[in-house]
Amino acid sequence: MESFYLLSYIYSSADNLLHSFACPRSVDECLPALYKAEILNGKLVTMSFFLPKLSNKKDVDQAIKLTAEKVLVLRFGRDDDAVCLQLDDILSKTSHDLSKMATIYLVDVDKVSVYTQYFDISYIPSTVFFFNGQHMKVDYGSPDHTKFVGSFKTKQDFIDLIEVIYRGAMRGKLIVRSPIDPRNIPKYDLLYQGV
């Protein structure tokens, strides 16, 4: 049986995000790999390598079509954005717990511009939800029900939202009311591109 070492590190920014990952080798072998993954040519590289990435329209289309009886979570953003890193941390930490209810993918807004324009993604990160190929909308108490903009404040907020979307979708609903405390929902103004 293979043993795993749990490595933790702090990304030193204003947010001081704490990240962890399991390493199948010894700690000494993993630390250089962790350093290389974290800093590449002086630029921060995301540690959300736990989560699969969709890099083109065809991949996104396939994920929407083929994800059945689970909530499909698409996080639109950039790997080097601090708020995206914060959200990726929450998504990766909850992905195992939600694996029977949800499938999570990361989508780079610069690589899949068709969907970026279709969902009018002006702010990143933006999270969009699907169930059996249907776009699920959520009433967050904001003008836009098509996506969640920003990062979730806690892991529990994200878990609660997925559970509500899943239960609503199983009952045939296409829009559900957000269980997240309104104080934990980021405030923003809608920007309509090309208007």
Side-chain angles (χ1 to χ4, degrees), residues 9 19 37-39 43-50 53 75 78-81 84-86 88-89 106:
Y9 63 95
H19 295 271
E38 185 65 12
I39 306 294
K43 186 176 178 186
L44 175 71
V45 178
T46 184
M47 288 306 294
S48 57
F49 54 80
F50 299 116
K53 296 181 182 183
R75 189 280 282 149
R78 292 187 182 95
D79 289 343
D80 58 354
D81 181 79
C84 291
L85 286 172
Q86 183 180 4
D88 292 352
D89 184 54
L106 306 181

Side-chain angles (χ1 to χ4, degrees), residues 44-61:
L44 175 71
V45 178
T46 184
M47 288 306 294
S48 57
F49 54 80
F50 299 116
L51 299 171
K53 296 181 182 183
L54 303 175
S55 57
N56 58 50
K57 181 186 180 305
K58 182 181 176 186
D59 291 345
V60 175
D61 290 340

Side-chain angles (χ1 to χ4, degrees), residues 13-180:
S13 74
D15 296 319
N16 286 331
L17 301 176
L18 177 67
H19 295 271
S20 309
F21 75 96
C23 181
R25 295 172 267 171
S26 73
V27 174
D28 292 334
E29 290 178 87
C30 290
L31 287 177
L34 173 63
Y35 179 77
K36 287 177 194 167
E38 185 65 12
I39 306 294
L40 183 63
N41 295 329
K43 186 176 178 186
L44 175 71
V45 178
T46 184
M47 288 306 294
S48 57
F49 54 80
F50 299 116
L51 299 171
K53 296 181 182 183
L54 303 175
S55 57
N56 58 50
K57 181 186 180 305
K58 182 181 176 186
D59 291 345
V60 175
D61 290 340
Q62 288 296 322
I64 292 169
K65 286 181 198 174
L66 299 177
T67 304
E69 301 304 315
K70 286 185 177 184
V71 176
L72 173 63
V73 180
L74 299 178
R75 189 280 282 149
F76 288 86
R78 292 187 182 95
D79 289 343
D80 58 354
D81 181 79
V83 182
C84 291
L85 286 172
Q86 183 180 4
L87 177 57
D88 292 352
D89 184 54
I90 290 171
L91 298 178
S92 65
K93 286 181 178 178
T94 57
S95 64
H96 179 70
D97 297 336
L98 294 171
S99 63
K100 293 185 185 208
M101 272 190 276
T103 303
I104 302 169
Y105 290 103
L106 306 181
V107 182
D108 189 316
V109 292
D110 299 319
K111 294 180 180 174
V112 188
S113 59
V114 171
Y115 280 108
T116 302
Q117 291 173 349
Y118 181 77
F119 290 116
D120 191 32
I121 295 175
S122 306
Y123 298 111
I124 60 168
S126 290
T127 309
V128 180
F129 305 95
F130 289 87
F131 189 84
N132 289 342
Q134 289 285 345
H135 181 207
M136 294 296 297
K137 295 177 178 65
V138 182
D139 182 359
Y140 302 105
S142 66
D144 189 1
H145 302 324
T146 61
K147 59 190 171 285
F148 184 88
V149 176
S151 179
F152 296 94
K153 297 282 186 201
T154 66
K155 292 188 310 184
Q156 194 59 50
D157 283 346
F158 179 65
I159 291 169
D160 292 346
L161 181 60
I162 294 300
E163 288 175 349
V164 166
I165 293 171
Y166 181 79
R167 280 194 227 112
M170 292 300 280
R171 293 182 184 133
K173 294 182 179 182
L174 295 178
I175 186 166
V176 295
R177 182 169 296 239
S178 172
I180 302 172

